[in-house]
């Protein structure tokens, strides 16, 4: 569970700002909806209890009224059973009675029964049977007892030994029969002299009950155990429901005839009957259901409206921030000009607007400072480049003039003109600062002029080898980097030797680099001394400053990864390699 929580927390923390705000607002709305629905459910439960209390009260009043009317019928039954005239007639009928006497007694007993039948409006008919089973009837003769019911009723009368018993009649909804055994109390012998059956129409009693109005109007059902013997709205409405009460009273929502109904019941001591009140659920809770769904619908509409408004509000906040974050990413990659295109439709005076304006101002200022610093650095490099070039010319011109002077004094030949011509070309190329970057071919013209002069000076003591492919002639290199290297070889290899000196100038390519190598067979240069010269520990002599200048110029032109490589050939000379990018533009 903890891992799952951490997983979703991590997703939430890494989500975009508008997603976080949307999720937070949704959670708040869902939580509120849960509490609202919980409150509605709790209110409905309280309403259910109120409905149960009211319907129970109505049902109890109805049952009390029904049982009160039935008890009045029981009192009539008791009065008939103890009526002295009826007692006398029934005793007389036990003997041998002539037809005339039987007719007289029959008329007399029926008149008495009619009087009792009219005393209660709910009595439908009265059946009186003497000890020999002869039947006397008063009241309505509709729906007469069949043989089976008659036998059951008479047996029930004997079973209860003079007590009143209510018998439900199957197939006749609402027809009840009060049965009682009539016993003779003359001389207190309590002999069985007859049986009394009083038919009652339960519908008449129920129809006279005070009816509730509104939502509590329902169907009254009466059952005896598991047997339903009365339904106010007919047996067809209750055939699909099994009326079984687990407790003496209770309520619930049941499905009857495919319709949800609110069922309330309680059991009384009167014959152990259970009274049921069945109220259609839709009728009972129609208003509440409408209110519930209206509240849910209103809440959903509010949820949609609030989410829409929140989304627009969050977009107003997050859109400039997301745009600002994207711009920061581009600025991080070195693109400072992108901030000039950062123009949202409208910037407010809130915190986001202040952040946006401050960021834009800051990047613009940084860009200005970078451009200013870049311009200054270019100016410094250009100045250093010119200064380094100017350091080479005086020393070279001094050596050249010395060579010309020596040749003129010793030989007095026309070769002087050639040397002077070569010197002129060399001076023109050296002093011309219009182009700092030239091709290899142009640099070799300077080298050729320089070698022309040096060949006249050293004659047979110099052997020069040139190996540069024609494909490299258009490569771009800094001006005056090969001539000082050759000058360095003449200074340290040729001038100090009485033997033939060999100088090799060759070029080759390694991947995207151009390498130009100047190699001589002189005594070589101690790398330790050269390193100390570059660090400023030892003051250089001769052309040592030239090598340092060349290395600095190459680095200014191409970058720190390029420059000079000096190799000591272990007593066989020195090799200096110029490392440049291979480029023709």
């Amino acid at each position: 569970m903890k891992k799952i929580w951490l997983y979703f927390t991590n997703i939430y923390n890494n989500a975009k700002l508008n997603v976080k705000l949307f999720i937070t607002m949704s959670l708040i709305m869902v939580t509120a909806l849960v509490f609202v629905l919980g409150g509605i459910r709790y209110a409905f439960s309280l309403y259910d209890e109120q409905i149960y209390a009211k319907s129970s009260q109505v049902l109890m009043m109805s049952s009390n009224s029904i049982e009160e009317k039935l008890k009045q019928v029981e009192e009539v039954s008791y009065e008939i059973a103890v009526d002295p005239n009826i007692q006398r007639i029934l005793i007389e009928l036990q003997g041998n009675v002539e037809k005339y006497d039987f007719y007289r007694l029959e008329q007399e007993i029926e008149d008495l029964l009619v009087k009792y039948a009219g005393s209660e409006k709910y009595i439908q008919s009265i059946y009186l049977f003497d000890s020999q089973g002869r039947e006397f009837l008063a009241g309505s003769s509709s729906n007469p007892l069949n043989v089976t019911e008659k036998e059951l009723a008479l047996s029930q009368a004997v079973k209860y030994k003079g007590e009143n018993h209510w018998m439900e009649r199957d197939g006749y909804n609402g027809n009840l029969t009060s049965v009682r055994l009539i016993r003779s109390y003359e001389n207190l012998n309590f002999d069985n002299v007859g049986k009394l059956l009083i038919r009652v129409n339960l519908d008449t009693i129920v129809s006279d009950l005070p009816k509730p109005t509104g939502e509590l109007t329902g169907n009254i059902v009466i059952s005896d155990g598991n047997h339903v013997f009365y339904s106010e709205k007919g047996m067809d409405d209750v055939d699909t429901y099994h009326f079984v009460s687990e407790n003496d009273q209770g309520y619930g929502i049941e499905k009857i005839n495919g319709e949800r109904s609110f069922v309330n019941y309680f059991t009384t001591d009167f014959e152990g009957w259970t009274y049921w009140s069945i109220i259609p659920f839709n009728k009972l809770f129609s208003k509440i259901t409408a209110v519930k769904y209206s509240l849910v619908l209103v809440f959903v509409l509010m949820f949609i409206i609030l989410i829409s408004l929140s989304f627009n509000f969050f977009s107003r906040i997050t859109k400039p921030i997301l745009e600002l974050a994207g711009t920061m990413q581009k600025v991080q990659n070195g693109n400072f000009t992108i901030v000039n295109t950062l123009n949202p439709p409208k910037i407010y005076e809130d915190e986001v607007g202040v952040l946006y304006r401050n960021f834009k101002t800051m990047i613009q200022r940084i860009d200005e400072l970078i451009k200013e610093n870049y311009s200054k650095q270019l100016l410094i490099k250009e100045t250093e480049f010119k200064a380094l070039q100017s350091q080479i010319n005086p020393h070279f011109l001094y050596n050249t003039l010395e060579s010309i002077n020596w040749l003129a004094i010793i030989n007095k030949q026309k070769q002087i003109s050639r040397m002077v011509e070569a010197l002129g070309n060399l001076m023109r190329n050296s002093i011309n600062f219009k182009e700092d970057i030239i091709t290899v071919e142009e640099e070799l013209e300077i080298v050729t002029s320089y070698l022309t002069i040096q060949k006249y000076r050293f004659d047979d003591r110099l052997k020069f080898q040139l190996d540069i492919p024609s494909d490299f002639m258009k490569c771009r290199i800094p001006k005056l980097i090969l001539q000082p290297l050759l000058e360095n070889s003449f200074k340290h290899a040729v001038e100090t030797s009485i033997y033939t000196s060999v100088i090799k100038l060759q070029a080759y390519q390694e991947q995207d680099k151009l390498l130009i190598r100047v190699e001589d067979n002189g005594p070589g240069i101690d790398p330790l001394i050269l390193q100390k010269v570059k660090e400023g520990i030892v003051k250089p002599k001769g052309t040592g400053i030239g090598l340092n200048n060349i290395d600095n110029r190459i680095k200014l032109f191409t970058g720190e990864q390029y420059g000079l490589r000096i190799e000591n050939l272990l007593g066989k000379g020195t090799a200096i390699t110029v490392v440049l990018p291979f480029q023709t533009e």
Side-chain angles (χ1 to χ4, degrees), residues 39-76:
I40 293 175
R41 185 177 182 85
Y42 177 72
F44 284 173
S45 65
L46 295 179
Y47 185 76
D48 289 347
E49 293 179 359
Q50 294 295 323
I51 292 295
Y52 166 66
K54 291 182 179 180
S55 62
S56 296
Q57 183 179 7
V58 172
L59 187 61
M60 186 173 295
M61 293 175 59
S62 300
S63 65
N64 289 337
S65 298
I66 292 172
E67 292 177 359
E68 181 180 353
K69 303 301 181 183
L70 295 178
K71 287 179 180 178
Q72 292 176 1
V73 174
E74 289 183 2
E75 291 178 0
V76 173

Side-chain angles (χ1 to χ4, degrees), residues 161-310:
K161 300 178 180 180
E163 294 182 5
N164 184 79
H165 172 67
W166 287 98
M167 186 184 73
E168 304 90 13
R169 189 177 179 188
D170 291 336
Y172 296 92
N173 181 32
N175 287 332
L176 291 177
T177 304
S178 170
V179 298
R180 182 190 294 272
L181 180 65
I182 301 177
R183 306 179 71 176
S184 173
Y185 57 86
E186 184 177 345
N187 299 326
L188 299 178
N189 56 10
F190 299 108
D191 292 334
N192 296 334
V193 294
K195 300 176 181 68
L196 176 64
L197 279 66
I198 301 178
R199 297 284 301 280
V200 175
N201 190 347
L202 196 55
D203 269 336
T204 306
I205 298 176
V206 173
S207 62
D208 289 345
L209 295 176
K211 298 294 182 182
T213 59
E215 57 189 13
L216 293 180
T217 304
N219 183 22
I220 295 178
V221 177
I222 306 175
S223 65
D224 183 7
N226 299 335
H227 174 60
V228 176
F229 61 87
Y230 175 74
S231 173
E232 182 182 6
K233 296 184 178 180
M235 289 296 183
D236 293 337
D237 292 340
V238 297
D239 286 344
T240 59
Y241 182 69
H242 187 54
F243 289 85
V244 177
S245 57
E246 297 179 356
N247 302 309
D248 290 341
Q249 62 182 11
Y251 71 97
I253 298 175
E254 305 291 343
K255 200 166 187 179
I256 301 177
N257 289 336
E259 183 181 12
R260 298 178 67 196
S261 302
F262 184 84
V263 179
N264 174 32
Y265 67 91
F266 73 92
T267 304
T268 65
D269 294 333
F270 186 84
E271 297 292 329
W273 290 350
T274 301
Y275 293 83
W276 305 76
S277 174
I278 302 175
I279 305 174
F281 184 85
N282 292 334
K283 179 180 179 181
L284 181 62
F285 294 97
S286 58
K287 295 180 180 179
I288 299 299
T289 303
V291 171
K292 178 177 71 173
Y293 286 114
S294 298
L295 288 175
V296 173
L297 180 60
V298 169
F299 194 89
V300 171
L301 292 176
M302 290 179 59
F303 178 81
I304 295 174
I305 293 173
L306 288 177
I307 288 297
S308 300
L309 295 176
S310 300

Side-chain angles (χ1 to χ4, degrees), residues 372-384:
E372 181 180 351
N373 183 64
Y374 182 71
S375 300
K376 290 181 179 179
Q377 291 297 325
L378 287 179
L379 181 60
I380 292 172
K381 286 186 178 183
E382 183 179 359
T383 303
E384 290 179 350

